[in-house]
Amino acid sequence: SLLMRHLPSVLIAKGGAEGVQGMGLIGRGIGVAIKIDDGADRPLWPICMSALERLDLLPEPVPPDLRKAWQAEIKNTRGDVVGFVRACI
């Protein structure tokens, strides 16, 4: 996964169906499980990134593809970006 490519010795991660993500933090004895009630995938990346930031596990500087994952784009029917999904944790 994208997270494991950028944080290979820090975590293992596995996404599931219906808005589920699990992360295990190597050597810290911490597991993180995320479930989005309505099953949507769009908020998963912002929540994962915010949790990793809170745990001080993101590299400095944050790679561009991880930074992009931090805010999920909201697009209208024409494909124009009209907003973003951000996590507040």
Side-chain angles (χ1 to χ4, degrees), residues 1-47:
S1 80
L2 180 65
L3 289 174
M4 292 192 305
R5 274 196 307 273
H6 287 289
L7 305 166
S9 60
V10 175
L11 63 77
I12 56 171
K14 177 70 173 108
E18 301 295 324
V20 173
Q21 178 74 32
M23 297 183 290
L25 309 181
I26 297 170
R28 294 186 71 173
I30 298 173
V32 177
I34 299 165
K35 169 64 175 129
I36 307 303
D37 281 346
D38 67 2
D41 289 336
R42 186 168 51 191
L44 274 178
W45 278 104
I47 292 169

Side-chain angles (χ1 to χ4, degrees), residues 47-74:
I47 292 169
C48 287
M49 295 297 294
S50 293
L52 293 173
E53 178 189 39
R54 269 289 184 89
L55 294 167
D56 197 31
L57 295 174
L58 293 176
E60 284 294 331
V62 176
D65 48 350
L66 284 181
R67 182 159 298 288
K68 184 178 179 185
W70 216 317
Q71 292 188 39
E73 294 179 341
I74 299 173

